[in-house]
């Protein structure tokens, strides 16, 4: 592997959603601030959308580390779960042992948990990732959770995070009540070309190379064009470029190295590089 060649402690361009590598570009910072504001100010429903691979899951995971200890959290990664298992997962994250597998029991247990937390001065946040996969009936049921409130405040803040089709889903007539209740919204857009350079430098720095590893500005331009500023695609291109650099025995990823790696990714083979 190329990790030893560059002396990296970690893989700089892993495609897992690792929040310790979070780079706060303007769009990520803006979305992150909206999420924190919505939860801390008890705004009820909060919507986070973004293109595939834009950083939604990474941002939601980072959020868990930034919320105050007094905010109890439940993070649903798998929105494809059948309803019963979804409810169990939510209760389980909040540290509640489910009594029965039905909606009424779920609502009762959740309500008494939320009231108890409120009496302690605590807040609660439910973060549902990949929310574009939720069935309309599940979304409608989740809307009912926001009815847990006192005269003054919401007992549970619910973040719906998903790809742009989530917004389309919420436009459907049968979900208009939910749509109306969303008070905080943000959208992760693609990174700008200058962000891409800083994003690459940041991830390399985090991986602690023992040598100087450089992506030249024209290599960054190529990676920007290839990726359209989408972080997952940037990672894939950079990972390939570092592999090419290793094969060519260089720690400088210049235009030629970046071009070869992108051509390889696009299926154009270079015998010398295989
Ligand atoms: N702001 C960022 N800083 C550092 N890495 C990021 C950032 N945004 C995204 N990434 C990286 O890009 C990759 C894709 O991110 P992530 O999985 O969070 O995207 P997503 O929007 O949840 O994608 P999907 O729509 O497929 O669920 C991950 O490797 C992640 O670490
Ligand atoms: Mg995701």
């Amino acid at each position: 592997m190329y990790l030893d060649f560059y002396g990296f402690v970690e893989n700089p361009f892993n495609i897992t959603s690792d929040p310790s590598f979070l780079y706060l570009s303007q769009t990520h910072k803006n979305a992150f601030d909206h999420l924190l504001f919505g939860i801390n100010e008890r705004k009820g429903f909060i919507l986070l959308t973004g293109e595939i691979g834009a950083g939604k899951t990474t941002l939601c995971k980072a959020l868990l580390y930034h919320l105050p200890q007094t905010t109890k959290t439940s993070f649903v990664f798998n929105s494809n779960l059948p309803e019963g298992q979804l409810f169990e997962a939510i209760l389980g994250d909040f540290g509640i042992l489910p009594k029965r597998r039905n909606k009424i029991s779920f609502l009762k247990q959740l309500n008494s948990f939320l009231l108890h937390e409120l009496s302690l001065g605590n807040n609660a946040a439910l973060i549902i990732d990949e929310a574009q996969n939720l069935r309309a009936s599940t979304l409608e049921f989740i809307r009912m959770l926001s009815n847990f409130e006192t005269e003054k405040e919401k007992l549970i803040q619910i973040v719906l995070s998903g790809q742009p089709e989530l917004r389309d889903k919420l436009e459907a007539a049968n979900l208009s009540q939910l749509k109306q209740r969303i008070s905080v919204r943000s959208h992760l857009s693609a990174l700008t070309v200058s962000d891409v350079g800083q994003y690459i430098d940041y991830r390399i720095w985090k991986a602690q190379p023992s040598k100087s590893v450089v992506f030249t500005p024209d290599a960054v331009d190529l990676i920007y064009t290839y990726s359209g500023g989408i972080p997952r695609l940037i990672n894939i291109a950079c990972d390939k470029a570092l592999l090419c650099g290793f094969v060519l025995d260089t720690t400088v990823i210049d235009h030629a190295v970046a071009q070869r790696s992108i051509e390889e990714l696009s299926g154009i083979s270079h015998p010398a590089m295989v």
Side-chain angles (χ1 to χ4, degrees):
M1 252 309 268
Y2 66 67
L3 291 193
D4 289 344
F5 173 70
Y6 298 100
F8 286 126
V9 173
E10 280 186 82
N11 184 342
F13 295 106
N14 218 325
I15 54 163
T16 56
S17 316
D18 181 352
S20 70
F21 273 80
L22 180 68
Y23 164 71
L24 282 178
S25 69
Q26 196 53 50
T27 187
H28 288 88
K29 177 160 186 349
N30 182 45
F32 199 58
D33 288 347
H34 275 77
L35 293 173
L36 280 174
F37 166 80
I39 294 174
N40 291 335
E41 299 300 317
R42 294 179 178 267
K43 292 292 180 186
F45 272 109
I46 301 146
L47 180 69
L48 171 67
T49 51
E51 298 300 328
I52 299 173
K56 301 175 293 296
T57 302
T58 310
L59 207 60
C60 288
K61 284 187 182 173
L63 187 63
L64 297 179
Y65 294 99
H66 282 79
L67 289 170
Q69 292 275 317
T70 49
T71 299
K72 307 296 162 190
T73 54
S74 170
F75 193 164
V76 175
F77 292 97
N78 184 358
S79 55
N80 280 319
L81 288 177
E83 264 183 17
Q85 288 179 34
L86 185 71
F87 301 156
E88 276 185 11
I90 294 171
L91 291 181
D93 274 1
F94 282 135
I96 312 165
L97 197 64
K99 285 187 183 145
R100 290 207 183 81
R101 262 198 181 180
N102 63 54
K103 280 184 187 171
I104 296 174
S105 171
F106 166 76
L107 290 172
K108 267 191 185 163
Q109 284 195 279
L110 187 61
N111 193 29
S112 55
F113 167 78
L114 295 174
L115 287 170
H116 178 66
E117 293 302 325
L118 184 72
S119 71
L120 300 174
N122 293 344
N123 192 359
L126 168 61
I127 300 160
I128 304 184
D129 200 14
E130 310 260 6
Q132 76 277 354
N133 295 333
L134 291 172
R135 265 183 260 125
S137 59
T138 310
L139 277 167
E140 177 54 16
F141 183 71
I142 287 168
R143 175 188 67 78
M144 284 163 43
L145 302 185
S146 78
N147 292 339
F148 290 138
E149 59 191 359
T150 64
E151 289 80 21
K152 293 198 186 346
E153 54 201 352
K154 295 281 180 196
L155 300 187
I156 185 165
Q157 321 318 317
I158 302 172
V159 174
L160 295 175
S161 162
Q163 292 165 7
E165 63 198 84
L166 174 60
R167 276 188 306 204
D168 305 337
K169 214 167 196 172
L170 294 172
E171 289 301 323
N174 57 348
L175 289 174
S176 58
Q177 289 198 67
L178 172 55
K179 193 185 143 202
Q180 278 182 11
R181 280 171 172 73
I182 296 172
S183 44
V184 180
R185 300 161 182 265
S186 57
H187 181 78
L188 282 179
S189 35
L191 300 185
T192 62
V193 67
S194 75
D195 269 338
V196 172
Q198 288 173 33
Y199 172 94
I200 292 172
D201 289 347
Y202 180 76
R203 292 197 66 118
I204 286 176
W205 173 77
K206 282 293 288 182
Q208 304 174 51
S210 58
K211 301 171 187 166
S212 157
V213 181
V214 176
F215 279 67
T216 61
D218 47 5
V220 171
D221 283 348
L222 274 184
I223 291 168
Y224 171 70
T225 307
Y226 167 79
S227 64
I230 295 294
R232 186 179 290 127
L233 296 177
I234 299 171
N235 284 13
I236 290 169
C238 290
D239 180 63
K240 191 74 175 175
L242 288 175
L243 182 61
C244 289
F246 162 60
V247 173
L248 296 169
D249 196 20
T250 177
T251 61
V252 177
I253 307 301
D254 61 12
H255 187 274
V257 178
Q259 185 150 26
R260 289 184 85 143
S261 50
I262 286 169
E263 284 174 358
E264 288 210 350
L265 285 171
S266 312
I268 304 165
S269 67
H270 284 273
M273 304 286 297
V274 180

